[in-house]
């Protein structure tokens, strides 16, 4: 069962003009996968491109604008007719709530949902003196944190999409 396919990227930073994709992640309500992007990291950019461009079902990202810009820069077209954004869904549902992914996950998925991977990644960053651009691509904490975000995104979409659709009585 897959109501939504979560899609996410981990990048070297937040500037689509100068930063690059390091990992691409996919997930649904039960499982997530992290895929290295760059060839020097054993990358699978072509695999990710094929999934994103040929998947014919609802896909969801949290802050779709950012991920689609980063993917477009890397040569991937995120098909807008299948694209949904949980950040926008959350804002439409309740604009007064903290709608960042982790706080939203704590509210809508489970109080401990955001803790999976988050603390471990912080420990890895400080223990290795790494950041988003330098943590080893195959570090288990990086992969766990990254893949889990797509599952959180899919679970949030399953919760919010019907509410937002009913609220506005039209296709989002």
């Amino acid at each position: 069962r897959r109501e939504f396919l979560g899609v996410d990227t981990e990048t070297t930073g937040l500037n689509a003009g100068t930063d690059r994709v390091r990992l691409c992640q996919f997930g649904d309500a039960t499982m997530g996968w992290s895929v290295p992007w760059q060839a020097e990291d054993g990358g699978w950019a072509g695999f990710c491109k094929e999934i994103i461009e040929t998947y014919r079902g609802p896909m969801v990202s949290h802050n779709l604008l950012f991920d689609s810009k980063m993917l477009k820069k890397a040569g991937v077209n995120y098909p807008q007719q299948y694209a949904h954004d949980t950040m926008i869904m959350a804002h439409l549902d309740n604009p007064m709530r903290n709608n960042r992914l982790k706080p939203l996950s704590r509210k809508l998925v489970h109080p401990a949902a955001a803790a999976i991977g988050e603390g471990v990644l912080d420990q890895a960053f400080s223990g290795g003196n790494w950041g988003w651009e330098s943590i080893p691509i195959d570090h288990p904490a990086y992969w766990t944190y990254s893949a889990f975000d797509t599952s959180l995104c899919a679970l949030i979409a399953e919760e919010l999409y019907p509410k937002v659709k009913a609220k506005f009585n039209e296709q989002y």
Side-chain angles (χ1 to χ4, degrees):
R1 178 186 77 80
R2 176 175 298 119
E3 201 168 325
F4 288 91
L5 176 65
V7 178
D8 190 21
T9 59
E10 297 305 331
T11 63
T12 57
L14 299 175
N15 187 318
T18 58
D19 291 308
R20 65 177 176 83
V21 175
R22 296 191 73 214
L23 286 180
C24 185
Q25 304 89 248
F26 303 98
D28 57 25
T30 60
M31 192 172 296
W33 303 268
S34 292
V35 182
W37 188 267
Q38 298 294 328
E40 65 267 18
D41 299 321
W44 290 71
F47 170 76
C48 297
K49 177 179 172 65
E50 185 170 339
I51 289 174
I52 293 167
E53 292 183 350
T54 63
Y55 186 78
R56 295 297 175 250
M59 293 187 281
V60 64
S61 295
H62 196 80
N63 192 359
L64 174 65
L65 180 62
F66 175 76
D67 289 309
S68 62
K69 276 184 181 181
M70 294 303 290
L71 289 165
K72 184 174 184 174
K73 178 186 175 200
V76 179
N77 294 310
Y78 197 137
Q80 296 301 298
Q81 69 268 34
Y82 300 110
H84 300 273
D85 189 333
T86 50
M87 190 169 71
I88 292 173
M89 286 182 208
H91 182 76
L92 291 172
D93 181 56
N94 182 351
M96 301 306 289
R97 175 179 52 213
N98 183 342
N99 289 319
R100 292 187 345 259
L101 182 62
K102 302 304 185 194
L104 192 60
S105 299
R106 286 195 267 295
K107 178 76 174 161
L108 298 179
V109 176
H110 188 276
I116 297 175
E118 196 171 47
V120 176
L121 185 62
D122 289 341
Q123 287 176 352
F125 277 170
S126 61
N129 199 27
W130 296 312
W132 291 106
E133 73 289 342
S134 59
I135 187 166
I137 200 76
D138 60 350
H139 196 289
Y142 188 43
W143 281 55
T144 301
Y145 172 89
S146 302
F148 194 60
D149 278 358
T150 61
S151 294
L152 291 174
C153 199
L155 288 164
I156 290 168
E158 288 180 8
E159 174 73 22
L160 290 180
Y161 182 80
K163 290 179 182 180
V164 170
K165 186 176 176 183
K167 192 180 222 178
F168 292 93
N169 196 26
E170 59 186 24
Q171 185 74 23
Y172 164 69

